[in-house]
Amino acid sequence: MNEMPDGVSGQAAAVLHAAGVLQAHIESRLAEVGLSLPKLMALRALSQAGESLPLSQLADRLACVKSNITQLVDRLESDGFVTRAADPNDRRSRLAVMTAAGRYAFEKGSMLHDQAEREALGGLDATEVRQLAALLTKLGSHHV
Amino acid sequence: MNEMPDGVSGQAAAVLHAAGVLQAHIESRLAEVGLSLPKLMALRALSQAGESLPLSQLADRLACVKSNITQLVDRLESDGFVTRAADPNDRRSRLAVMTAAGRYAFEKGSMLHDQAEREALGGLDATEVRQLAALLTKLGSHHV
DNA sequence: AAAGATTGACTCATCAATCTTT
DNA sequence: AAAGATTGATGAGTCAATCTTT
Protein backbone atom coordinates (compact mmCIF):
# COMPACT_ATOMS: atom_id res chain seq x y z
CA MET A 1 0.00 0.00 0.00
CA ASN A 2 3.01 2.22 -0.31
CA GLU A 3 4.26 1.84 -3.88
CA MET A 4 4.71 4.81 -6.19
CA PRO A 5 2.18 4.49 -8.99
CA ASP A 6 3.53 7.57 -10.69
CA GLY A 7 6.51 7.72 -13.06
CA VAL A 8 8.18 10.99 -12.16
CA SER A 9 6.69 11.17 -8.70
CA GLY A 10 9.20 11.89 -6.01
CA GLN A 11 11.80 13.85 -7.95
CA ALA A 12 10.59 17.16 -6.62
CA ALA A 13 11.08 15.78 -3.15
CA ALA A 14 14.63 14.77 -4.08
CA VAL A 15 15.44 18.29 -5.26
CA LEU A 16 13.90 19.82 -2.16
CA HIS A 17 15.70 17.37 0.09
CA ALA A 18 19.08 17.96 -1.51
CA ALA A 19 18.57 21.70 -1.23
CA GLY A 20 17.69 21.32 2.43
CA VAL A 21 20.83 19.33 3.19
CA LEU A 22 22.98 21.79 1.26
CA GLN A 23 21.47 24.82 2.92
CA ALA A 24 21.73 23.35 6.41
CA HIS A 25 25.38 22.57 5.79
CA ILE A 26 26.21 26.06 4.57
CA GLU A 27 24.19 27.76 7.32
CA SER A 28 25.91 25.75 10.02
CA ARG A 29 29.31 26.97 8.75
CA LEU A 30 28.16 30.57 8.43
CA ALA A 31 26.86 30.53 12.00
CA GLU A 32 30.51 30.53 13.14
CA VAL A 33 30.76 34.21 12.19
CA GLY A 34 27.22 35.14 13.19
CA LEU A 35 25.86 35.04 9.66
CA SER A 36 22.96 33.32 7.92
CA LEU A 37 22.59 32.79 4.19
CA PRO A 38 20.16 35.71 3.73
CA LYS A 39 22.47 37.99 5.73
CA LEU A 40 25.46 36.95 3.61
CA MET A 41 23.52 37.53 0.40
CA ALA A 42 22.56 41.01 1.59
CA LEU A 43 26.15 41.86 2.48
CA ARG A 44 27.28 40.54 -0.90
CA ALA A 45 24.77 42.74 -2.69
CA LEU A 46 25.96 45.75 -0.72
CA SER A 47 29.60 44.91 -1.36
CA GLN A 48 29.02 44.56 -5.09
CA ALA A 49 27.14 47.86 -5.15
CA GLY A 50 29.96 49.76 -3.47
CA GLU A 51 29.00 49.30 0.18
CA SER A 52 25.61 51.02 0.18
CA LEU A 53 22.18 50.68 -1.44
CA PRO A 54 18.66 52.03 -1.00
CA LEU A 55 16.50 49.36 0.66
CA SER A 56 14.24 49.08 -2.37
CA GLN A 57 17.19 48.28 -4.63
CA LEU A 58 18.43 45.76 -2.11
CA ALA A 59 15.00 44.12 -2.25
CA ASP A 60 15.23 44.00 -6.05
CA ARG A 61 18.67 42.38 -6.04
CA LEU A 62 17.69 39.78 -3.46
CA ALA A 63 14.42 39.19 -5.31
CA CYS A 64 12.26 39.42 -2.26
CA VAL A 65 9.57 41.61 -0.82
CA LYS A 66 10.24 45.05 0.68
CA SER A 67 9.05 44.28 4.18
CA ASN A 68 11.42 41.36 4.36
CA ILE A 69 14.34 43.67 3.64
CA THR A 70 13.25 46.04 6.38
CA GLN A 71 13.45 43.20 8.89
CA LEU A 72 16.66 41.73 7.46
CA VAL A 73 18.35 45.12 7.69
CA ASP A 74 16.98 45.45 11.23
CA ARG A 75 18.83 42.27 12.14
CA LEU A 76 22.01 43.26 10.31
CA GLU A 77 21.86 46.60 12.06
CA SER A 78 21.55 45.03 15.48
CA ASP A 79 24.49 42.78 14.53
CA GLY A 80 26.47 45.93 13.75
CA PHE A 81 27.03 44.86 10.13
CA VAL A 82 25.12 47.68 8.46
CA THR A 83 23.79 51.12 9.38
CA ARG A 84 20.88 53.04 7.98
CA ALA A 85 21.60 56.44 6.49
CA ALA A 86 19.62 59.12 4.69
CA ASP A 87 19.59 58.98 0.90
CA PRO A 88 20.89 62.32 -0.41
CA ASN A 89 19.06 61.85 -3.72
CA ASP A 90 15.61 61.02 -2.39
CA ARG A 91 14.41 61.91 1.05
CA ARG A 92 11.83 59.09 1.07
CA SER A 93 14.58 56.51 0.69
CA ARG A 94 16.92 55.05 3.27
CA LEU A 95 20.36 53.62 2.53
CA ALA A 96 21.75 50.41 4.00
CA VAL A 97 25.47 51.07 4.49
CA MET A 98 28.00 48.35 5.28
CA THR A 99 30.14 48.92 8.36
CA ALA A 100 33.73 47.82 8.92
CA ALA A 101 32.40 44.86 10.93
CA GLY A 102 30.07 44.06 8.03
CA ARG A 103 32.93 44.12 5.57
CA TYR A 104 34.90 41.77 7.78
CA ALA A 105 31.94 39.42 8.30
CA PHE A 106 31.31 39.38 4.56
CA GLU A 107 34.88 38.37 3.77
CA LYS A 108 34.96 35.67 6.40
CA GLY A 109 31.46 34.52 5.45
CA SER A 110 32.30 34.32 1.75
CA MET A 111 35.24 32.07 2.46
CA LEU A 112 33.19 29.85 4.76
CA HIS A 113 30.42 29.69 2.16
CA ASP A 114 32.77 28.63 -0.64
CA GLN A 115 34.47 26.12 1.60
CA ALA A 116 31.12 24.63 2.68
CA GLU A 117 30.04 24.47 -0.96
CA ARG A 118 33.16 22.58 -1.96
CA GLU A 119 32.65 20.18 0.94
CA ALA A 120 29.01 19.57 0.05
CA LEU A 121 29.77 19.08 -3.63
CA GLY A 122 32.82 17.01 -2.79
CA GLY A 123 31.02 13.76 -3.55
CA LEU A 124 30.69 14.75 -7.22
CA ASP A 125 33.45 14.96 -9.79
CA ALA A 126 33.82 17.82 -12.26
CA THR A 127 31.73 16.13 -14.96
CA GLU A 128 28.90 15.39 -12.56
CA VAL A 129 28.91 18.98 -11.25
CA ARG A 130 28.64 20.22 -14.84
CA GLN A 131 25.80 17.82 -15.59
CA LEU A 132 23.98 18.83 -12.42
CA ALA A 133 24.34 22.51 -13.20
CA ALA A 134 22.98 21.98 -16.70
CA LEU A 135 19.98 20.00 -15.49
CA LEU A 136 19.14 22.45 -12.73
CA THR A 137 19.45 25.42 -15.05
CA LYS A 138 17.09 23.73 -17.48
CA LEU A 139 14.70 22.90 -14.66
CA GLY A 140 14.89 26.32 -13.04
CA SER A 141 14.36 28.22 -16.25
CA HIS A 142 11.42 26.13 -17.42
CA HIS A 143 8.54 28.50 -17.01
CA VAL A 144 5.14 26.93 -17.28
CA MET B 1 35.77 42.59 -9.97
CA ASN B 2 32.94 40.12 -10.28
CA GLU B 3 34.44 36.99 -11.83
CA MET B 4 34.24 33.63 -10.13
CA PRO B 5 37.76 32.66 -9.11
CA ASP B 6 36.44 29.36 -7.83
CA GLY B 7 35.83 26.24 -9.86
CA VAL B 8 32.65 24.87 -8.31
CA SER B 9 31.48 28.18 -6.90
CA GLY B 10 27.87 28.93 -7.64
CA GLN B 11 26.47 25.40 -7.91
CA ALA B 12 24.98 25.51 -4.45
CA ALA B 13 23.13 28.63 -5.50
CA ALA B 14 21.82 26.75 -8.56
CA VAL B 15 20.47 23.92 -6.41
CA LEU B 16 18.90 26.35 -3.96
CA HIS B 17 17.40 28.40 -6.75
CA ALA B 18 15.93 25.41 -8.55
CA ALA B 19 14.45 24.17 -5.28
CA GLY B 20 12.94 27.59 -4.67
CA VAL B 21 11.29 27.69 -8.08
CA LEU B 22 10.00 24.16 -7.69
CA GLN B 23 8.63 24.74 -4.23
CA ALA B 24 6.97 28.02 -5.15
CA HIS B 25 5.29 26.30 -8.10
CA ILE B 26 3.97 23.41 -6.02
CA GLU B 27 2.86 25.66 -3.15
CA SER B 28 0.94 27.93 -5.49
CA ARG B 29 -1.03 24.92 -6.78
CA LEU B 30 -1.66 23.54 -3.31
CA ALA B 31 -2.98 26.90 -2.15
CA GLU B 32 -6.07 26.21 -4.28
CA VAL B 33 -7.26 23.69 -1.68
CA GLY B 34 -5.96 25.58 1.34
CA LEU B 35 -2.85 23.46 1.72
CA SER B 36 0.86 24.13 1.99
CA LEU B 37 3.64 21.60 1.40
CA PRO B 38 4.25 20.99 5.13
CA LYS B 39 0.52 20.51 5.68
CA LEU B 40 0.30 18.04 2.78
CA MET B 41 3.31 16.09 4.07
CA ALA B 42 1.69 15.85 7.50
CA LEU B 43 -1.59 14.61 6.03
CA ARG B 44 0.34 12.11 3.91
CA ALA B 45 2.14 10.77 6.98
CA LEU B 46 -1.17 10.40 8.80
CA SER B 47 -2.80 8.75 5.82
CA GLN B 48 0.03 6.24 5.46
CA ALA B 49 -0.12 5.49 9.18
CA GLY B 50 -3.83 4.71 9.10
CA GLU B 51 -5.25 8.18 9.75
CA SER B 52 -3.79 8.84 13.20
CA LEU B 53 -0.38 9.18 14.87
CA PRO B 54 1.10 10.42 18.15
CA LEU B 55 2.63 13.86 17.63
CA SER B 56 6.12 12.61 18.44
CA GLN B 57 5.92 9.94 15.73
CA LEU B 58 4.63 12.53 13.31
CA ALA B 59 7.68 14.64 14.14
CA ASP B 60 9.93 11.64 13.47
CA ARG B 61 8.35 10.93 10.09
CA LEU B 62 8.53 14.54 8.98
CA ALA B 63 12.08 14.76 10.33
CA CYS B 64 11.51 17.95 12.22
CA VAL B 65 11.49 19.22 15.75
CA LYS B 66 8.61 18.48 18.14
CA SER B 67 7.53 22.05 18.74
CA ASN B 68 7.16 22.56 15.03
CA ILE B 69 4.65 19.70 14.90
CA THR B 70 2.68 21.20 17.75
CA GLN B 71 2.21 24.38 15.73
CA LEU B 72 1.64 22.60 12.41
CA VAL B 73 -1.09 20.50 14.02
CA ASP B 74 -2.50 23.70 15.54
CA ARG B 75 -2.86 25.11 12.04
CA LEU B 76 -4.26 21.87 10.60
CA GLU B 77 -6.71 21.75 13.48
CA SER B 78 -7.90 25.29 12.84
CA ASP B 79 -8.28 24.33 9.17
CA GLY B 80 -10.47 21.45 10.29
CA PHE B 81 -8.17 18.86 8.69
CA VAL B 82 -7.11 17.06 11.88
CA THR B 83 -8.28 16.78 15.48
CA ARG B 84 -6.35 16.03 18.63
CA ALA B 85 -7.36 12.98 20.64
CA ALA B 86 -6.10 11.19 23.71
CA ASP B 87 -3.67 8.30 23.18
CA PRO B 88 -5.12 5.19 24.83
CA ASN B 89 -1.66 3.65 25.20
CA ASP B 90 0.13 6.57 26.84
CA ARG B 91 -1.61 9.33 28.68
CA ARG B 92 1.30 11.74 28.06
CA SER B 93 0.83 11.42 24.32
CA ARG B 94 -1.69 13.09 22.05
CA LEU B 95 -2.89 11.72 18.74
CA ALA B 96 -3.33 13.72 15.57
CA VAL B 97 -6.38 12.24 13.82
CA MET B 98 -7.35 13.04 10.24
CA THR B 99 -10.90 14.29 9.73
CA ALA B 100 -13.12 13.70 6.70
CA ALA B 101 -12.19 17.18 5.46
CA GLY B 102 -8.53 16.29 5.96
CA ARG B 103 -8.93 13.12 3.93
CA TYR B 104 -10.55 15.08 1.13
CA ALA B 105 -7.90 17.82 1.21
CA PHE B 106 -5.17 15.19 1.16
CA GLU B 107 -6.59 13.48 -1.92
CA LYS B 108 -7.09 16.75 -3.80
CA GLY B 109 -3.70 18.02 -2.60
CA SER B 110 -1.89 14.87 -3.69
CA MET B 111 -3.27 15.16 -7.19
CA LEU B 112 -2.36 18.84 -7.39
CA HIS B 113 1.12 18.08 -6.07
CA ASP B 114 1.78 15.35 -8.63
CA GLN B 115 0.39 17.51 -11.41
CA ALA B 116 2.56 20.45 -10.37
CA GLU B 117 5.56 18.14 -10.20
CA ARG B 118 4.98 16.85 -13.71
CA GLU B 119 4.59 20.41 -14.96
CA ALA B 120 7.78 21.56 -13.28
CA LEU B 121 9.76 18.56 -14.50
CA GLY B 122 8.18 18.82 -17.92
CA GLY B 123 11.26 20.45 -19.39
CA LEU B 124 13.28 17.29 -18.79
CA ASP B 125 12.99 13.98 -20.61
CA ALA B 126 13.01 10.60 -18.87
CA THR B 127 16.78 10.17 -19.17
CA GLU B 128 17.45 13.58 -17.74
CA VAL B 129 15.09 12.98 -14.82
CA ARG B 130 16.94 9.75 -14.07
CA GLN B 131 20.31 11.51 -14.25
CA LEU B 132 19.09 14.29 -12.00
CA ALA B 133 17.73 11.84 -9.45
CA ALA B 134 21.03 9.96 -9.38
CA LEU B 135 23.09 13.13 -8.94
CA LEU B 136 20.85 14.51 -6.21
CA THR B 137 20.82 11.23 -4.34
CA LYS B 138 24.60 11.14 -4.46
CA LEU B 139 24.76 14.76 -3.33
CA GLY B 140 22.15 14.41 -0.63
CA SER B 141 23.66 11.27 0.85
CA HIS B 142 27.21 12.62 0.93
CA HIS B 143 27.74 13.16 4.63
CA VAL B 144 30.80 15.18 5.50
C1' DA C 1 -1.57 59.40 -7.00
C1' DA C 2 2.71 56.80 -6.72
C1' DA C 3 7.10 55.38 -4.52
C1' DG C 4 9.90 54.07 -0.39
C1' DA C 5 9.80 52.30 4.02
C1' DT C 6 7.65 50.51 7.96
C1' DT C 7 4.32 47.89 10.79
C1' DG C 8 1.23 44.10 11.71
C1' DA C 9 -0.52 39.48 10.92
C1' DC C 10 0.51 35.02 9.11
C1' DT C 11 3.35 30.37 7.87
C1' DC C 12 7.25 27.68 8.82
C1' DA C 13 11.47 26.43 10.88
C1' DT C 14 14.78 26.34 14.94
C1' DC C 15 16.08 26.17 20.13
C1' DA C 16 15.31 26.62 25.16
C1' DA C 17 12.38 26.27 28.97
C1' DT C 18 8.36 24.38 31.14
C1' DC C 19 4.60 21.08 32.53
C1' DT C 20 2.58 16.60 32.92
C1' DT C 21 2.89 11.87 33.00
C1' DT C 22 5.57 7.74 33.18
C1' DA D 1 15.06 11.31 35.73
C1' DA D 2 13.10 10.79 31.12
C1' DA D 3 9.48 11.24 27.55
C1' DG D 4 5.61 13.79 25.24
C1' DA D 5 3.72 18.06 24.43
C1' DT D 6 3.43 22.88 24.82
C1' DT D 7 4.94 27.77 25.09
C1' DG D 8 8.01 31.58 24.04
C1' DA D 9 11.78 33.74 21.51
C1' DT D 10 14.04 34.30 17.10
C1' DG D 11 14.99 34.07 11.95
C1' DA D 12 13.10 34.19 7.47
C1' DG D 13 9.66 34.60 4.23
C1' DT D 14 4.76 36.23 2.52
C1' DC D 15 0.85 39.86 2.05
C1' DA D 16 -1.96 43.93 3.37
C1' DA D 17 -2.26 48.36 5.35
C1' DT D 18 -0.16 52.65 6.66
C1' DC D 19 2.87 56.88 6.66
C1' DT D 20 5.93 60.14 4.52
C1' DT D 21 7.77 62.24 0.69
C1' DT D 22 7.76 63.09 -4.17
Side-chain angles (χ1 to χ4, degrees):
Chain A
M1 54 187 63
N2 202 3
E3 44 265 270
M4 296 280 170
D6 203 327
V8 293
S9 214
Q11 296 328 122
V15 176
L16 265 26
H17 177 254
V21 170
L22 199 51
Q23 187 168 350
H25 180 66
I26 294 175
E27 298 255 21
S28 76
R29 283 284 188 285
L30 287 178
E32 295 170 25
V33 286
L35 283 180
S36 63
L37 208 32
K39 283 179 183 176
L40 180 64
M41 294 299 95
L43 292 180
R44 191 184 62 166
L46 288 177
S47 175
Q48 287 174 352
E51 312 243 317
S52 88
L53 270 180
L55 295 204
S56 56
Q57 286 189 35
L58 190 52
D60 288 345
R61 303 205 184 192
L62 299 183
C64 71
V65 111
K66 321 277 164 278
S67 69
N68 192 14
I69 292 302
T70 297
Q71 293 172 306
L72 181 55
V73 171
D74 284 349
R75 277 171 244 132
L76 286 167
E77 204 167 20
S78 75
D79 288 336
F81 294 155
V82 310
T83 322
R84 268 178 247 243
D87 186 338
N89 302 104
D90 188 340
R91 238 186 304 178
R92 290 173 299 183
S93 174
R94 314 209 61 189
L95 297 181
V97 185
M98 210 175 347
T99 64
R103 220 155 19 238
Y104 180 74
F106 169 60
E107 280 163 26
K108 289 289 259 181
S110 290
M111 289 191 294
L112 288 171
H113 176 276
D114 292 353
Q115 179 196 321
E117 184 167 345
R118 276 190 297 271
E119 286 169 0
L121 265 47
L124 274 50
D125 63 35
T127 306
E128 289 172 324
V129 169
R130 235 179 298 117
Q131 271 186 359
L132 180 61
L135 290 170
L136 289 173
T137 301
K138 195 167 178 180
L139 195 156
S141 66
H142 170 59
H143 279 177
V144 186
Chain B
M1 56 190 65
N2 202 4
E3 45 266 89
M4 297 280 169
D6 203 325
V8 293
S9 212
Q11 297 329 123
V15 177
L16 265 26
H17 177 254
V21 170
L22 199 52
Q23 187 169 348
H25 179 65
I26 294 174
E27 298 255 21
S28 77
R29 283 286 188 284
L30 287 178
E32 294 170 25
V33 286
L35 283 180
S36 62
L37 208 33
K39 284 178 183 176
L40 180 64
M41 294 300 95
L43 292 180
R44 192 185 60 168
L46 287 177
S47 175
Q48 287 173 351
E51 311 242 318
S52 88
L53 269 180
L55 295 205
S56 56
Q57 285 188 36
L58 189 52
D60 288 345
R61 304 205 183 193
L62 299 182
C64 72
V65 112
K66 322 277 163 279
S67 68
N68 192 15
I69 292 303
T70 298
Q71 292 173 307
L72 181 54
V73 171
D74 285 349
R75 289 185 289 266
L76 286 168
E77 202 167 22
S78 75
D79 288 334
F81 294 155
V82 309
T83 321
R84 268 178 248 241
D87 185 340
N89 302 104
D90 187 339
R91 237 189 302 179
R92 290 172 298 183
S93 173
R94 315 208 60 188
L95 296 182
V97 186
M98 210 174 349
T99 64
R103 218 156 19 239
Y104 181 75
F106 169 59
E107 279 161 28
K108 290 289 261 182
S110 290
M111 289 191 293
L112 287 171
H113 176 277
D114 292 353
Q115 179 195 322
E117 185 167 345
R118 276 190 295 272
E119 286 169 359
L121 266 47
L124 274 49
D125 63 35
T127 306
E128 290 172 323
V129 170
R130 234 179 299 116
Q131 271 186 0
L132 180 61
L135 289 170
L136 289 173
T137 301
K138 195 166 177 181
L139 195 157
S141 66
H142 169 58
H143 277 178
V144 186

